[in-house]
Amino acid sequence: MKYDDQCAPPPKITGKDTTLSSSARTISSVRTTNTESGKKSHKSRFVNIFGKSKSSKRDKHEDGLSARSLYSPGKSESAYSGSVFSENVSIVSSVTASNALRVLIVGGSVSGIYLTKYLERKCGSGVKITILEQNENILLKFGAFAAAMDPTLAPHLIIGNKNMFKYSHNEVIKSTATSITPEYVETQDGKTIYYDVLVIASGSRYSSPCEIVGKGSVETKENLKTYFKYLQTSKSLVIIGGGASGIELALRVVKENLLNKITLIHDESMILNEEYPESYRNKIQKKLENEGIELILNDKAKIESGKNYGYPIKGRWLETESGKMVFSDMQVDCTGPVGNSEFVKSLNNDLMKVVDEERGFIRVNRYLQIIGQTKIFAIGDCNNICGIKTIDRAKSQAETVSETIHHWQVQFAEGKSYLEENPQVWTIDSNEAYMSIKNNELDEVRKASSTNHRLLNEAISKKAPPEITTRKADNIKQIYKVIGVEFKNRSAF
């Protein structure tokens, strides 16, 4: 930004009204008084983290064993891989492994983890699972704001992904995909990995602190400590975006009695969006206003999408589209994620764009196949299905694709053409999801004459949107359970 100087005085703007609208709220005197006492209450936590150095134990989740790779259309050698799904690893012979249906999963996201579990349960050693993931650890991003308030929680959000399998022929390859074709994936280190079924579970990118930083867990933990330090010592915060994550952050800061001034900027007339009932939106908005949070509504911050605005932390002037100028010591971009899909753009052609240009999400049909593709799927946060992206949705999409692959694996084992078996239809969970899939399929039918979809079923399985909460213990427990690790710190979340 052009006003990117903490020491600079407020810019002089002529011909524009820079006064906040009447809907904006200022911090009450009671709130200011409570802030000081609140900060003192966190002194012991601050000293424990940044004061005396303490010896740290090695993260028990970071250990893992190497496993076999599959870099050619033909057979590959077998090796062993550790497991957290079972104490007894099932050793698969090289003959069985070479005859298995090759399933390549790009991305070790939550949806990728669930898919792995479902496939091993349904297909056993009949599938050869390869996960392509650049990070050695999984960050449970939905718990990042909790760790920013108390970084001693961070180790519980970072889980190693190497020991993920029950069957010894499955593996994790540490690399990134650079391009994909209907037959193979090319990686950053120059390898070519062939597949029979490809599933994109690459997730999406969030702004800091909800991201893996640097090369892994050490840098990420230090980054969360940095946010904690600034939250304890800064006087003002701007939250950009009044969706679920923005509201959660605001509620957490209020709960911890941090900062003297909190400003939230949202591009609608009410916080959240139409996916939530109006009564619930009103309830949360009044709560924020009563806490003295300044709301700037029907306005947008002038920031570039997907550029991790606010990192590294420093004082900045922020301009809105209406011309308002807001200064803060900290800023957190909560405008939403951007899909990890650069490598998928190699599937684009003149007739069909498979990646949404604005936010980078991958367009899929009712079967969760990438439009125009038969044996390539995209599940979880990386696809463009609208609606609230929850763990339950990632789980249901993983289960749907696992059913399809299971049926295909049975046909494959019998020597039949598995791709002729009808794929499983995902149960649509909201009106927003229905509309996005419908629009994707209209393009698919119009531009790929070989596609012949039936009418999309409008019988939507409607679910009430989850309430915004600062408690993440149940969600974390779900992920721990699926990877077979005991969650021992439940009360802290």
Side-chain angles (χ1 to χ4, degrees):
M1 298 297 294
K2 59 183 177 180
Y3 303 112
D4 206 6
D5 184 354
Q6 184 172 7
C7 299
K12 296 179 180 179
I13 301 178
T14 59
K16 291 184 180 180
D17 180 11
T18 60
T19 306
L20 297 180
S21 65
S22 59
S23 63
R25 298 294 185 267
T26 56
I27 302 299
S28 65
S29 58
V30 175
R31 165 98 173 119
T32 304
T33 303
N34 289 340
T35 301
E36 295 303 321
S37 61
K39 286 189 177 181
K40 289 180 181 179
S41 68
H42 297 286
K43 183 177 180 180
S44 60
R45 186 193 303 172
F46 190 90
V47 171
N48 286 338
I49 295 169
F50 295 101
K52 299 178 181 179
S53 61
K54 297 182 179 180
S55 60
S56 59
K57 295 182 180 180
R58 186 179 181 183
D59 190 340
K60 66 179 180 180
H61 303 311
E62 292 181 357
D63 293 331
L65 302 176
S66 60
R68 63 182 278 276
S69 298
L70 187 60
Y71 297 124
S72 67
K75 298 180 180 180
S76 300
E77 296 180 357
S78 179
Y80 301 110
S81 173
S83 170
V84 295
F85 288 149
S86 171
E87 292 182 359
N88 299 315
V89 178
S90 298
I91 307 302
V92 179
S93 70
S94 59
V95 174
T96 300
S98 64
N99 290 324
L101 184 75
R102 298 168 300 180
V103 179
L104 176 58
I105 304 173
V106 178
S109 64
V110 169
S111 58
I113 294 171
Y114 271 111
L115 178 61
T116 299
K117 178 183 178 182
Y118 287 135
L119 287 177
E120 288 202 324
R121 179 190 297 170
K122 296 174 189 292
C123 304
S125 60
V127 293
K128 161 68 174 82
I129 304 170
T130 302
I131 297 177
L132 186 63
E133 170 58 52
Q134 63 176 332
N135 295 313
E136 294 181 352
N137 301 285
I138 302 159
L139 173 64
L140 304 184
K141 299 176 183 180
F142 53 82
F145 288 147
M149 304 296 159
D150 180 1
T152 62
L153 301 178
H156 302 280
L157 300 176
I158 301 172
I159 306 171
N161 62 12
K162 288 184 178 179
N163 301 337
M164 213 185 297
F165 304 110
K166 179 179 178 180
Y167 295 94
S168 63
H169 66 318
N170 297 328
E171 65 174 329
V172 175
I173 298 176
K174 186 182 177 183
S175 188
T176 58
T178 55
S179 67
I180 64 178
T181 76
E183 302 299 329
Y184 58 84
V185 171
E186 293 181 341
T187 68
Q188 191 175 38
D189 51 356
K191 293 183 174 65
T192 299
I193 306 176
Y194 288 82
Y195 63 84
D196 298 311
V197 182
L198 173 62
V199 182
I200 310 300
S202 51
S204 51
R205 299 187 303 278
Y206 290 78
S207 293
S208 193
C210 303
E211 270 300 329
I212 286 281
V213 176
K215 296 182 179 180
S217 61
V218 174
E219 294 92 334
T220 301
K221 292 172 188 175
E222 288 303 314
N223 188 49
L224 289 167
K225 283 185 180 181
T226 299
Y227 272 85
F228 172 78
K229 180 178 70 174
Y230 274 90
L231 283 167
Q232 302 296 318
T233 57
S234 296
K235 294 182 179 180
S236 56
L237 166 69
V238 166
I239 300 172
I240 307 167
S245 60
I247 300 306
E248 181 198 337
L249 177 58
L251 292 175
R252 284 189 180 279
V253 175
V254 165
K255 182 179 179 181
E256 297 288 334
N257 285 321
L258 301 174
L259 305 161
N260 295 332
K261 182 178 180 181
I262 306 167
T263 304
L264 188 147
I265 303 172
H266 190 50
D267 61 356
E268 296 191 26
S269 59
M270 296 176 62
I271 60 169
L272 300 174
N273 56 35
E274 64 277 0
E275 294 168 354
Y276 291 86
E278 185 174 343
S279 58
Y280 182 72
R281 298 172 73 181
N282 272 318
K283 173 185 173 182
I284 298 297
Q285 183 162 321
K286 287 179 180 178
K287 177 177 177 60
L288 297 179
E289 291 174 343
N290 290 338
E291 292 290 348
I293 294 178
E294 178 183 22
L295 301 180
I296 301 178
L297 302 176
N298 271 331
D299 206 349
K300 294 180 69 174
K302 285 188 175 181
I303 63 172
E304 191 173 351
S305 174
K307 294 298 183 182
N308 202 13
Y309 182 82
Y311 182 83
I313 305 171
K314 65 177 180 179
R316 291 178 175 87
W317 280 104
L318 176 63
E319 183 180 4
T320 71
E321 289 188 348
S322 69
K324 294 182 177 69
M325 302 300 301
V326 183
F327 179 82
S328 60
D329 298 321
M330 294 183 67
Q331 313 81 34
V332 178
D333 180 2
C334 296
T335 54
V338 176
N340 292 320
S341 61
E342 285 299 316
F343 61 97
V344 183
K345 292 180 180 178
S346 56
L347 292 177
N348 284 342
N349 55 56
D350 293 338
L351 294 178
M352 195 181 309
K353 301 294 184 184
V354 301
V355 177
D356 171 6
E357 294 293 338
E358 183 179 357
R359 304 292 293 187
F361 295 118
I362 304 166
R363 304 173 68 203
V364 297
N365 59 25
R366 72 188 73 185
Y367 311 109
L368 304 174
Q369 295 165 313
I370 295 179
I371 58 171
Q373 302 294 325
T374 302
K375 59 180 182 178
I376 307 178
F377 300 80
I379 60 175
D381 285 2
C382 67
N383 68 36
N384 82 324
I385 298 178
C386 295
I388 302 172
K389 295 178 182 288
T390 62
I391 291 177
D392 287 339
R393 174 184 275 196
K395 181 179 178 181
S396 71
Q397 291 186 358
E399 187 167 20
T400 296
V401 172
S402 73
E403 284 291 339
T404 296
I405 294 175
H406 178 221
H407 292 311
W408 287 1
Q409 181 262 326
V410 171
Q411 298 296 310
F412 179 84
E414 295 176 357
K416 299 178 181 178
S417 179
Y418 64 96
L419 295 177
E420 293 180 3
E421 184 79 8
N422 289 330
Q424 185 83 7
V425 177
W426 178 61
T427 302
I428 297 173
D429 59 7
S430 66
N431 289 318
E432 293 78 18
Y434 168 79
M435 290 306 300
S436 55
I437 292 175
K438 182 178 180 180
N439 290 334
N440 292 342
E441 290 192 351
L442 284 173
D443 281 347
E444 188 174 35
V445 171
R446 185 163 50 241
K447 297 175 181 178
S449 57
S450 61
T451 305
N452 184 24
H453 290 303
R454 302 180 300 276
L455 290 176
L456 187 61
N457 183 8
E458 296 192 32
I460 298 169
S461 175
K462 294 183 179 179
K463 298 179 181 179
E467 293 192 354
I468 310 300
T469 177
T470 58
R471 182 163 176 79
K472 302 298 180 182
D474 291 341
N475 288 337
I476 296 171
K477 185 180 179 181
Q478 274 194 66
I479 307 304
Y480 268 63
K481 184 177 180 180
V482 77
I483 64 173
V485 180
E486 184 180 357
F487 181 38
K488 298 180 179 180
N489 203 40
R490 183 170 183 176
S491 61
F493 288 91

